[in-house]
Amino acid sequence: MAAPTRLPSSVSAITLPQVRSRSLNLWKSLNHQCTFNQIGIKLHPVCCTNMSPWEPSPVKYAPDDDTADDFLKGDNNIFETLKSNRTIEAPLTSTEVLTDTSTQPSTQLQYLRWPMWLLGPPLLLATGMVPTLWLPISSIFLGPNIASLLSLTGLDCIFNLGASLFLLMADSCARPNTPTQVCKSQAPLSYRFWNMVATITGFTIPLSIFFGAHRGFLQPQLPFISSAVLLGPYLLLLSVQMLTEMLTWHWKSPVWLVTPIVYEAYRVLQLMRGLKLGAELGAPSWMLHTIRGLVCWWVLILGMQLMRVAWYAGFAARARQQQSSDLSYAENT
């Protein structure tokens, strides 16, 4: 038996038997081959293995034409591919966890600010007004000597400690909730200039009075220790205020507008205490008039500071209203 001839896979062989042509009444023996081009059909191979069912084998799938390049592109083993997909999803989950944990400090910081709103003003009141108003001056003032000067300076140091803590609390409350946001509040140059003018004027008046009394232009003369008891704590606290304001300007703290108000309000009370002590010491009239002039000066400066606070609040309200109107206009357009 003859072996069949093997044709290429691109053509197919069809053998026609003997055909009788009735129109020509002829018998023709047609024993030839007709070839036709085969329609291109893509056959996908199926891989089979005769491995043991107990051994894991790589599983292959026959993907569609559209997804043939993307399906299981990384590895032929489906288990390893699933494992790699899990490792890809892991950083996403960790990112979400980090996002949740990053919001926790801001929430905790918001909870910590509420006690500051309640503790700040009472702390300022307890360290500033209570010792001066309720503590008897006679118990700490023994006369024009060093002990009385140190006792009065200690009262002012207690106030300075409370004022510093109050300003730190106010600065913390004025900061934004999220630590990533930067809050820098720059004091205007004109504001800093006029504050320095007011402070230098507050220094110049008592120092010029001391110089005039030392030269003998003012009579009767007042001893140095008595002058130090009356105006020494005032000059010391004024120096501390100047240093604190310069630090708030350098650090761009939001409390630069509140700092002079805190110290100037206590300064008025401090000078009123000096008037009372001057009457007990029998100070000359020119010293009492000097202290009264300082009281009037700092009340005037305190009023100007309060007007600046009102102006700043109105400016901030106008800026916020302008921003909201711009946002609403942008949404409508």
Side-chain angles (χ1 to χ4, degrees):
M1 183 177 179
T5 303
R6 185 176 181 180
L7 297 177
S9 59
S10 60
V11 295
S12 62
I14 302 176
T15 304
L16 298 179
Q18 293 180 355
V19 180
R20 181 182 178 182
S21 177
R22 295 180 180 179
S23 60
L24 299 177
N25 296 323
L26 296 174
W27 291 91
K28 294 181 179 181
S29 176
L30 299 177
N31 192 7
H32 62 276
Q33 296 177 351
C34 298
T35 61
F36 300 92
N37 291 330
Q38 184 182 6
I39 299 174
I41 301 175
K42 187 176 181 180
L43 300 178
H44 302 285
V46 179
C47 299
C48 299
T49 57
N50 294 328
M51 299 178 67
S52 173
W54 306 107
E55 298 179 3
S57 61
V59 180
K60 294 184 178 180
Y61 292 90
D64 297 335
D65 294 337
D66 298 335
T67 61
D69 297 334
D70 297 333
F71 185 76
L72 298 179
K73 187 175 180 179
D75 200 338
N76 293 331
N77 195 337
I78 188 174
F79 301 105
E80 295 182 0
T81 306
L82 293 177
K83 183 178 179 181
S84 62
N85 292 335
R86 290 180 181 177
T87 57
I88 294 174
E89 293 177 356
L92 299 176
T93 307
S94 61
T95 305
E96 295 177 356
V97 172
L98 291 176
T99 305
D100 296 337
T101 55
S102 63
T103 56
Q104 291 178 0
S106 62
T107 306
Q108 295 176 358
L109 184 62
Q110 185 67 23
Y111 287 142
L112 291 177
R113 288 181 180 179
W114 285 107
M116 294 183 184
W117 284 90
L118 300 177
L119 293 178
L123 178 64
L124 187 63
L125 177 64
T127 57
M129 301 302 172
V130 172
T132 304
L133 295 178
W134 276 274
L135 188 64
I137 298 297
S138 59
S139 63
I140 62 173
F141 182 72
L142 304 176
N145 51 28
I146 301 298
S148 299
L149 179 61
L150 294 178
S151 300
L152 296 175
T153 305
L155 288 179
D156 296 339
C157 290
I158 293 175
F159 164 76
N160 185 38
L161 179 61
S164 300
L165 293 176
F166 172 79
L167 292 176
L168 289 175
M169 292 180 183
D171 180 83
S172 178
C173 292
R175 297 289 179 177
N177 296 331
T178 57
T180 56
Q181 297 180 357
V182 180
C183 180
K184 293 183 179 181
S185 181
Q186 180 68 42
L189 181 61
S190 60
Y191 174 84
R192 289 182 286 176
F193 174 76
W194 289 112
N195 266 30
M196 294 301 295
V197 168
T199 306
I200 293 173
T201 304
F203 267 114
T204 304
I205 294 175
L207 291 179
S208 61
I209 295 298
F210 285 154
F211 180 79
H214 180 72
R215 289 293 182 177
F217 297 118
L218 298 174
Q219 295 296 332
Q221 292 186 359
L222 186 66
F224 176 78
I225 189 62
S226 299
S227 302
V229 167
L230 293 177
L231 293 178
Y234 160 81
L235 295 174
L236 179 61
L237 192 62
L238 188 59
S239 304
V240 173
Q241 176 189 347
M242 183 183 295
L243 178 61
T244 306
E245 288 184 357
M246 294 176 65
L247 289 177
T248 56
W249 298 341
H250 177 70
W251 293 333
K252 297 180 180 180
S253 175
V255 298
W256 57 266
L257 194 60
V258 185
T259 303
I261 297 176
V262 173
Y263 282 94
E264 289 165 5
Y266 181 78
R267 181 164 297 112
V268 173
L269 183 62
Q270 185 185 33
L271 291 173
M272 295 300 293
R273 182 187 66 191
L275 282 175
K276 183 178 179 181
L277 294 177
E280 294 183 3
L281 290 175
S285 59
W286 58 265
M287 177 58 74
L288 297 180
H289 290 310
T290 302
I291 297 176
R292 292 189 185 100
L294 289 174
V295 170
C296 295
W297 171 253
W298 287 114
V299 169
L300 178 64
I301 298 301
L302 180 60
M304 294 177 62
Q305 294 289 350
L306 293 176
M307 290 186 66
R308 286 174 180 173
V309 172
W311 174 84
Y312 189 80
F315 176 79
R318 289 192 300 270
R320 192 181 301 108
Q321 185 178 4
Q322 182 66 25
Q323 184 179 4
S324 62
S325 62
D326 293 342
L327 290 176
S328 60
Y329 177 76
E331 291 177 356
N332 293 332
T333 56

